[in-house]
């Protein structure tokens, strides 16, 4: 098995990139018995 690493940089601040990548309200659909409450 070969290992490889792929890196990509984005022209966004870290917090904005993370906000765009995560969709916390959908988290509970994928992980049963959990709840996520987003407080800005």
């Amino acid at each position: 098995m070969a290992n490889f690493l792929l890196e990509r940089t984005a022209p966004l601040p870290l917090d904005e990139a993370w906000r765009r990548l995560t969709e916390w309200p959908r988290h509970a659909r994928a992980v049963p018995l959990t709840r996520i409450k987003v407080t800005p």
Side-chain angles (χ1 to χ4, degrees):
M1 178 186 302
N3 292 322
F4 66 94
L5 173 66
L6 175 65
E7 290 185 20
R8 175 81 189 226
T9 57
L12 298 170
L14 180 59
D15 58 338
E16 177 61 17
W18 182 251
R19 185 190 68 78
R20 292 182 187 196
L21 287 171
T22 56
E23 192 171 342
W24 292 118
R26 289 183 55 194
H27 177 79
R29 287 188 236 157
V31 184
L33 304 174
T34 63
R35 289 188 218 162
I36 300 294
K37 181 179 179 182
V38 179
T39 54

